[in-house]
């Protein structure tokens, strides 16, 4: 067992990372050792990354204990780079964390200064000057490479900057020079944000935190009004929205809502979050209130503006989309289901259930209700079982007729009317070649209940007796 993290007092005593626990306790018998919890550490780091969204949406996680923030075009909102860095360090320190940071034109240099020097802003003209006195480990190299460089007397980055590049490449490979060029800004290093970047965004920083749900929804409506001109300028409407609530103690809540049709109207966007708040009311802990509210448009689509007619024709589709959006926002996108046709004639494979909002969106894109999606009715039962259930039949009309009686789920049904058979052959390219065909029957019993059952196999063919199954129920 080895030490993976130290507090300030442990560092003062002289303990070091990767030191054995037994050796550390020999140095300090009163040492308090807590077992590492990587999952909890990762959760804390992700929570800090969410908190850093207040400065920039481009936040990436670096290893087990670091974050990269791309603040391009954001620093002026906080009074410049110096003020932004000071604000971040002070706020995170108030959360009880030991934090260091650096700002520069190269992510590699910022990483090196933050971990091996004091927190500061490095101007572009002083990049090599800031990097030269740092140890070679600050270049994010492997342990073996660092050890080999130190054996040769190359202990600081400045030693590498003054050395010929060709011998370094032959001895240590191209990775060494790549890291060196990234640190001095000669080779660009992109930052991959951990969350998708919003297409459009609007936020409100509040002088006093808000706690009431009505106030939050009113702010969401105001932010939607702010976003409307941007949506109109692009000729689009929002399909996927996200409401971010930054609590004063650093907790961040993300509330997502989607729409089946592109939206611009602030009232309809606000209604989506009204339903979401109804669904998550108990899970939203307002604490001491929220100090920042932000509304993001994560996904948008082309918006076809149309004037309403005076006789109210064509309003049914719009009301259906609005209903689907409200229900999906409250109960989840999978609560309303439709069907997508598949290339199969076997009933359990012929359709695939998908959220209704996706069906409405597909209808809007194609302008047709028969584009592979639909709320359709036919000769198939409304309720189709995921797996056919075996039944016991009596007095069957041999060879191709329906049963006179059958027993299903411990209840015996006497057949009053029957229609069929409808023969469906097996799909030889999916099933085995010996798979028998199915003969389907629509059955009505004496109580008026209607069933859809089938016989698997034929009488007089094969060594085994045909079996019967219940596959669905008609309304």
């Amino acid at each position: 067992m080895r030490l993976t993290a130290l507090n300030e007092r442990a560092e003062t005593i002289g303990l070091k990372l990767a030191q054995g626990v037994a050796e550390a306790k020999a140095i300090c018998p009163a040492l308090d050792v807590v077992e590492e919890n990587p999952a909890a550490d990762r959760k804390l780091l992700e929570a800090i990354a969410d908190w850093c969204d207040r400065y920039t949406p481009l936040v990436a996680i670096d290893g087990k204990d670091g974050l990269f923030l791309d603040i391009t075009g954001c620093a002026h909102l906080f009074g410049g780079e110096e003020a932004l860095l000071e604000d971040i360090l002070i706020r995170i320190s108030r959360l009880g964390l030991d934090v260091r940071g650096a700002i520069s034109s190269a992510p590699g240099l910022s990483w090196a200064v933050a971990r091996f020097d004091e927190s500061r802003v490095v101007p572009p003209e002083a990049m090599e000057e800031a990097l030269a006195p740092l140890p070679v480990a600050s270049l994010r190299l492997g342990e073996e490479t660092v050890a080999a460089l130190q054996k040769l007397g190359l202990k600081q980055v400045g030693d590498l900057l003054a050395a010929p590049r060709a011998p370094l490449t032959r001895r240590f490979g191209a990775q060494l020079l790549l890291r060196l060029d990234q640190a001095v800004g000669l080779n660009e290093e992109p930052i991959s944000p951990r969350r998708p970047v919003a297409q459009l965004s609007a936020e409100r920083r509040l002088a006093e935190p808000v706690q009431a749900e009505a106030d939050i929804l009113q702010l969401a409506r105001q932010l939607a009004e702010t976003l409307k001109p941007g949506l109109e300028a692009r000729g689009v409407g929002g399909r996927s929205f996200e409401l971010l609530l930054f609590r004063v103690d650093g907790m961040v809540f993300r509330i997502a809502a989607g729409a089946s049709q592109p939206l611009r109207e602030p009232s309809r966007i606000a209604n989506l979050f009204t339903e979401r708040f109804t669904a998550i009311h108990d899970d939203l802990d307002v604490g001491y209130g929220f100090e920042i509210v932000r509304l993001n448009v994560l996904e948008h689509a082309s918006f076809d503006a149309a004037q309403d007619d005076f006789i109210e024709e064509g309003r049914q589709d719009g009301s259906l989309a609005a209903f689907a959006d409200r229900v999906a926002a409250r109960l989840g996108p999978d609560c309303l289901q439709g069907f997508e046709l598949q290339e199969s004639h076997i009933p359990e494979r012929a359709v695939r259930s998908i959220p209704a909002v996706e069906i409405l969106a597909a209808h809007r894109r194609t302008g047709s209700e028969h584009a592979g999606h639909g709320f359709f009715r036919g000769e198939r039962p409304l309720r189709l079982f995921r797996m056919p259930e075996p039944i016991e039949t009596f007095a069957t009309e041999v060879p191709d007729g329906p049963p006179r009686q059958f027993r299903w789920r411990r209840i015996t049904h006497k057949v009053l009317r029957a229609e069929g058979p409808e023969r469906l052959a097996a799909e030889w390219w999916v099933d085995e070649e010996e798979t028998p065909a199915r003969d389907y029957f629509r059955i009505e019993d004496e109580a008026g209940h209607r069933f859809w059952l089938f016989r698997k196999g034929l009488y007089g063919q094969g060594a085994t007796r045909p079996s019967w199954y219940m596959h669905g129920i008609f309304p």
Side-chain angles (χ1 to χ4, degrees):
M1 297 179 64
R2 297 186 177 277
L3 300 179
T4 60
L6 303 170
N7 60 8
E8 293 181 357
R9 186 174 180 183
E11 291 177 347
T12 303
I13 295 174
L15 303 182
K16 299 180 180 180
L17 293 178
Q19 188 176 24
V21 174
E23 180 184 354
K25 286 190 173 182
I27 298 174
C28 179
L31 182 66
D32 185 12
V33 180
V34 179
E35 186 176 355
E36 183 184 20
N37 188 342
D41 293 342
R42 181 72 177 188
K43 186 176 180 180
L44 173 62
L45 187 61
E46 291 179 348
I48 299 173
D50 284 337
W51 180 88
C52 287
D53 278 354
R54 67 182 60 214
Y55 298 103
T56 173
L58 303 177
V59 180
I61 291 180
D62 173 53
K64 296 182 179 181
D65 57 355
L67 296 174
F68 276 125
L69 278 68
D70 188 345
I71 60 170
T72 304
C74 302
H76 70 281
L77 301 175
F78 302 89
E81 294 179 349
E82 294 279 358
L84 188 150
L85 180 60
E86 182 181 1
D87 187 70
I88 293 178
L89 299 181
I90 291 177
R91 286 176 176 267
I92 296 183
S93 298
R94 290 174 179 174
L95 298 177
L97 301 174
D98 183 17
V99 59
R100 286 181 293 179
I103 296 178
S104 73
S105 301
L109 179 58
S110 298
W111 190 94
V113 173
R115 295 177 182 271
F116 294 90
D117 202 349
E118 59 182 11
S119 300
R120 58 193 174 108
V121 176
V122 181
E125 63 274 9
M127 295 177 67
E128 290 192 8
E129 180 183 349
L131 187 63
L134 301 181
V136 292
S138 64
L139 294 179
R140 297 174 292 170
L141 300 171
E143 294 181 0
E144 296 181 357
T145 303
V146 172
L149 289 170
Q150 291 176 345
K151 287 181 180 180
L152 294 176
L154 303 174
K155 298 182 179 181
Q156 295 180 334
V157 180
D159 300 332
L160 298 177
L161 293 173
R165 297 174 66 91
L168 291 176
T169 304
R170 287 196 302 268
R171 183 72 179 269
F172 302 101
Q175 182 70 13
L176 172 60
L177 294 184
L178 174 63
R179 290 300 192 188
L180 188 61
D181 290 342
Q182 288 177 342
V184 296
L186 297 178
N187 196 324
E188 293 186 1
E189 182 179 0
I191 293 178
S192 300
R194 54 191 292 268
R195 294 185 180 275
V197 181
Q199 305 291 337
L200 286 172
S201 180
E203 77 174 26
R204 182 70 58 84
R205 295 177 179 267
L206 307 173
E208 294 292 336
V210 295
Q211 293 179 310
E213 181 178 311
D215 295 337
I216 298 173
L217 292 174
Q218 180 62 27
L219 287 172
R221 181 186 178 91
Q222 294 175 4
L223 293 174
E225 293 176 351
T226 304
L227 290 175
K228 186 176 181 181
L231 294 172
E232 292 176 343
R234 300 187 181 193
V236 298
R239 282 286 315 280
S240 178
F241 301 90
E242 182 183 48
L243 185 66
L244 274 70
L245 304 175
F246 294 82
R247 209 167 63 184
V248 294
D249 62 352
M251 188 70 177
V252 181
F253 292 88
R254 297 177 180 271
I255 305 173
S260 59
Q261 296 181 344
L263 300 181
R264 289 180 184 170
E265 186 60 35
S267 59
R268 289 194 61 183
I269 297 174
N271 287 338
L272 294 179
F273 290 103
T274 301
E275 301 298 335
R276 290 294 295 132
F277 271 90
T278 303
I280 65 172
H281 183 271
D282 295 335
D283 298 328
L284 185 63
D285 183 8
V286 300
Y288 292 103
F290 302 104
E291 59 180 349
I292 302 176
V293 180
R294 180 186 300 165
L295 180 61
N296 292 334
V297 179
L298 299 181
E299 180 184 352
H300 58 59
S302 60
F303 186 89
D304 298 329
Q307 181 177 349
D308 292 339
D309 51 25
F310 293 103
I311 58 176
E312 297 186 354
E313 290 183 356
R315 297 190 61 181
Q316 183 177 0
D317 294 339
S319 61
L320 177 60
F323 170 77
D325 292 342
R326 293 185 61 185
V327 174
R330 177 176 294 193
L331 303 178
D334 297 330
C335 63
L336 293 178
Q337 295 283 329
F339 302 101
E340 181 181 47
L341 301 179
Q342 303 293 301
E343 295 181 353
S344 175
H345 62 268
I346 302 301
E348 60 266 29
R349 304 173 187 165
V351 295
R352 179 176 67 95
S353 61
I354 58 176
V357 291
E358 294 185 13
I359 295 177
L360 293 171
H363 287 174
R364 177 187 174 276
R365 289 193 300 267
T366 60
S368 171
E369 296 184 0
H370 306 284
H373 303 78
F375 305 95
F376 53 84
R377 296 180 180 178
E379 297 180 349
R380 297 294 185 256
L382 182 63
R383 181 183 178 188
L384 188 70
F385 300 147
R386 185 180 300 273
M387 295 295 295
E389 299 180 6
I391 61 175
E392 186 179 0
T393 60
F394 308 96
T396 304
E397 297 180 7
V398 178
D400 297 330
R404 300 287 180 86
Q405 290 184 355
F406 64 91
R407 183 178 180 84
W408 175 54
R409 294 183 179 179
R410 301 182 181 180
I411 299 178
T412 301
H413 301 266
K414 186 175 182 181
V415 177
L416 181 63
R417 298 182 182 86
E419 182 179 357
E422 176 189 357
R423 181 159 298 176
L424 297 180
E427 296 177 339
W428 56 266
W429 57 93
V430 177
D431 304 311
E432 298 178 357
E433 295 184 0
E434 297 78 10
T435 302
R438 300 179 183 181
D439 281 351
Y440 278 87
F441 295 87
R442 289 182 289 277
I443 301 294
E444 183 178 342
D445 65 2
E446 292 181 329
H449 301 139
R450 301 175 64 226
F451 308 95
W452 201 45
L453 48 86
F454 70 89
R455 180 186 63 242
K456 188 175 183 179
L458 301 175
Y459 289 100
Q461 297 183 9
T464 59
R465 186 172 181 271
S467 53
W468 288 82
Y469 296 88
M470 178 69 65
H471 204 169
I473 300 176
F474 290 95

